[in-house]
Amino acid sequence: MKLRNVALALVVALLVTGCASASQRPGAGLWHNGRLFIATGNTTGVYYTIGGGYADLISKHVAGYEARAEATGASAENIQRVATGDMDIALTLADTAADAYAGKGGFDGKPQKLVALGRVYKSYVQLVVRRSANINKFSDLRGKRVSTGSVGSGSDVVAGRVLLAGGLNPDTDIVRARLSLPETTKGMQNGSLDAFFFAGGVPTPGIADLLASSPGNYLVMPLSSLLPPLTTRWGPVYSGAKMPKEAYGIPAEVDTIAIGNYIVVSPDMPEQLAHDLTKVLFEYQKDLAKVHPEGGNFDKGTAPQTDPIPLHPGAARFYSSG
């Protein structure tokens, strides 16, 4: 049963038993009875951490509303669940959001109805390899066992595109596994995987734990040389970035590829609620940064830059208020 249906069932039960009058029920008269669900990602990823912190801030500071973060397969699944009304708020990579809005890629012929509250931190495309697998350059991935991320995740989408940009067919030139981050790190530890891709903020908890568990046995590979063919084929949604060495305590920064992250909602969300949800992101940003460092890595000046996804009118009002 969908979470929304569970919530509605609870409301019906209260009405039938007469446990509370309409004026006494928490959230009475509020959108979705004051219950908000946030679609995040794998439990050892940054989306899940950030989403949990955001849910806590909403519950504390948006009057009448209680929010809950839910683990998911990430970007593509998150968008679909917002579009169907099963979730209210979602974190997503910008490239997946652009595909969904235009009805391209995995959403071919099925444009999704969504609007944005803002652009937040950027995700780094991270390629981690086992040193014992003898992967010294990108082409060495050929024939190797590689996890590209959960089905329905933005990581899976961008991994496929990076492989193509590097001259490798993701479905025939590697032994492709579509695994969650917890399953992936387990596979790296037990030797059933040789490498994996993950697109996320840093430090990604699951990756940090993996690298710390066996220092020197894993390598985070540079990917910046693949940016030109990537942008030629899929556009400027991708950019170059230097992943800081402090993120994982590695010897040097890593030249890689970055993608923006958006927070998206349904166009049906009331304007005032969207305004208040956007306001929370900035008014209590220091609290979000305590949950994860990426919580502090976005600003009001660039947050409205969510093209091609339109801003929700409530979010646009917040940004225009100065």
Side-chain angles (χ1 to χ4, degrees):
M1 182 182 290
K2 292 182 176 180
L3 290 169
R4 175 71 63 230
N5 293 337
V6 172
L8 289 174
L10 291 171
V11 174
V12 171
L14 286 173
L15 289 171
V16 171
T17 58
C19 291
S21 68
S23 62
Q24 293 171 327
R25 289 197 315 275
L30 297 174
W31 197 57
H32 293 163
N33 203 48
R35 295 179 176 87
L36 301 175
F37 296 96
I38 304 175
T40 62
N42 294 171
T43 55
T44 57
V46 178
Y47 276 3
Y48 187 75
T49 306
I50 289 284
Y54 188 29
D56 289 342
L57 292 175
I58 292 168
S59 299
K60 291 177 182 177
H61 302 294
V62 180
Y65 285 92
E66 180 179 344
R68 175 177 169 179
E70 294 291 331
T72 68
S75 295
E77 178 186 330
N78 291 355
I79 289 171
Q80 291 169 338
R81 295 180 73 175
V82 164
T84 61
D86 189 45
M87 292 282 167
D88 304 293
I89 305 164
L91 287 149
T92 177
L93 289 173
D95 57 348
T96 305
D99 283 354
Y101 189 72
K104 297 179 179 179
F107 301 88
D108 190 24
K110 298 178 181 179
Q112 303 293 299
K113 293 181 179 180
L114 68 154
V115 291
L117 297 185
R119 173 192 290 267
V120 286
Y121 65 94
K122 63 186 175 186
S123 281
Y124 297 85
V125 182
Q126 302 167 65
L127 170 58
V128 181
V129 304
R130 281 193 303 107
R131 289 185 182 274
S132 60
N134 296 316
I135 302 170
N136 300 306
K137 55 185 183 298
F138 193 81
S139 59
D140 290 338
L141 289 173
R142 187 181 300 273
K144 296 297 193 294
R145 301 162 298 176
V146 183
S147 174
T148 57
S150 305
V151 174
S153 70
S155 292
D156 189 46
V157 172
V158 72
R161 292 179 177 182
V162 169
L163 285 161
L164 288 170
L168 296 175
N169 185 313
D171 296 315
T172 59
D173 289 335
I174 62 170
V175 180
R176 187 176 192 173
R178 286 184 162 102
L179 302 174
S180 69
L181 186 55
E183 292 171 322
T184 294
T185 54
K186 182 178 179 180
M188 292 292 283
Q189 290 173 323
N190 65 27
S192 62
L193 289 173
D194 301 309
F196 71 92
F197 288 88
F198 189 80
V202 295
T204 297
I207 298 177
D209 290 344
L210 174 69
L211 299 183
S213 71
S214 189
N217 285 347
Y218 303 102
L219 174 68
V220 184
M221 295 192 67
L223 294 170
S224 57
S225 64
L226 302 179
L227 183 61
L230 193 66
T231 55
T232 296
R233 184 165 180 177
W234 286 285
V237 69
Y238 303 106
S239 62
K242 294 182 182 296
M243 191 173 72
K245 62 182 181 179
E246 295 81 9
Y248 297 118
I250 53 181
E253 63 186 12
V254 179
D255 288 321
T256 189
I257 296 161
I259 320 167
N261 289 292
Y262 296 165
I263 295 179
V264 298
V265 299
S266 165
D268 298 330
M269 178 176 281
E271 181 177 329
Q272 188 60 46
L273 175 57
H275 173 277
D276 293 346
L277 292 176
T278 309
K279 181 180 179 181
V280 162
L281 287 169
F282 295 92
E283 193 164 289
Y284 301 98
Q285 188 174 2
K286 289 183 179 179
D287 294 321
L288 200 56
K290 292 176 183 177
V291 174
H292 191 282
E294 294 289 15
N297 290 336
F298 52 92
D299 64 73
K300 192 176 178 181
T302 59
Q305 298 172 11
T306 59
D307 186 66
I309 313 303
L311 284 173
H312 190 293
R317 177 160 61 87
F318 169 77
Y319 294 121
S320 65
S321 64

